[in-house]
Amino acid sequence: MVAGCVIAEECALAVSAERMWKVSCSGDAMLKACAGSFDAADVEGDGGPGSVTTLTLSAAAAAAAGCGVVKSRVLARDDAAMLLRNEVLEGSKVSGQLKSQVTEVKLEAAGDGACMAKFKVEYERLDGGGALTPEDQAELIGGYLALMKIVETYLVANPAEYA
């Protein structure tokens, strides 16, 4: 990756790390928790390294995201540390500017029934330039944060799910 092409953000969530992890690592759970955002989730593999997940966005989500499909490959998954690292193969409004994009999320307990999601996006631009504009960086990381907030809303409203 080109130096300086990293975006890092933290997001406090009002659900346990364990419950967020269960949803984050399951295509079926993501479909249920994010009803209206995705029409389909296809996972090739066992969910571990090398697995490829293809999420087909709903029409409304596709319009907002600027793409109809998000496809990623698992590079690393550590269930004990609740760390997931993916290479984005397709998707997002700014992906047309990127040669590569790797995302990482780590969930950490933050008190009773709460957690902190720590996000990192590493990228390299097609043109070899430096960092994306602040607006494009916000758009890129904002999609991941919004997805976590959708899952959080679902889990808060359904406290017995994925408990």
Side-chain angles (χ1 to χ4, degrees):
M1 297 288 161
V2 174
C5 295
V6 176
I7 308 166
E9 192 77 42
E10 294 185 359
C11 178
L13 300 166
V15 294
S16 72
E18 292 79 12
R19 290 180 71 211
M20 286 297 296
W21 185 251
K22 288 176 184 176
V23 175
S24 298
C25 294
S26 167
D28 290 338
M30 286 294 285
L31 276 178
K32 187 174 185 179
C34 300
S37 296
F38 302 115
D39 288 339
D42 179 48
V43 179
E44 299 171 28
D46 63 2
S51 297
V52 174
T53 300
T54 303
L55 297 171
T56 304
L57 281 65
S58 67
C67 64
V69 171
V70 176
K71 189 173 190 176
S72 61
R73 177 183 303 114
V74 176
L75 299 176
R77 177 178 164 177
D78 184 333
D79 291 329
M82 288 188 254
L83 175 88
L84 186 62
R85 189 169 170 84
N86 290 314
E87 175 185 17
V88 178
L89 304 173
E90 182 180 341
S92 92
K93 282 184 182 176
V94 298
S95 66
Q97 301 178 53
L98 304 179
K99 179 178 178 181
S100 64
Q101 180 184 161
V102 174
T103 65
E104 181 177 292
V105 63
K106 179 168 180 38
L107 299 173
E108 296 179 353
D112 190 32
C115 70
M116 182 68 67
K118 296 184 175 185
F119 291 94
K120 183 166 64 170
V121 179
E122 302 170 8
Y123 62 90
E124 183 178 355
R125 291 175 53 150
L126 282 170
D127 63 9
L132 292 167
T133 66
E135 294 81 12
D136 284 343
Q137 288 185 37
E139 175 107 20
L140 188 59
I141 197 77
Y144 298 110
L145 296 173
L147 185 61
M148 283 295 185
K149 286 298 193 178
I150 291 168
V151 172
E152 174 192 37
T153 298
Y154 175 83
L155 291 175
V156 166
N158 298 278
E161 289 284 323
Y162 309 104

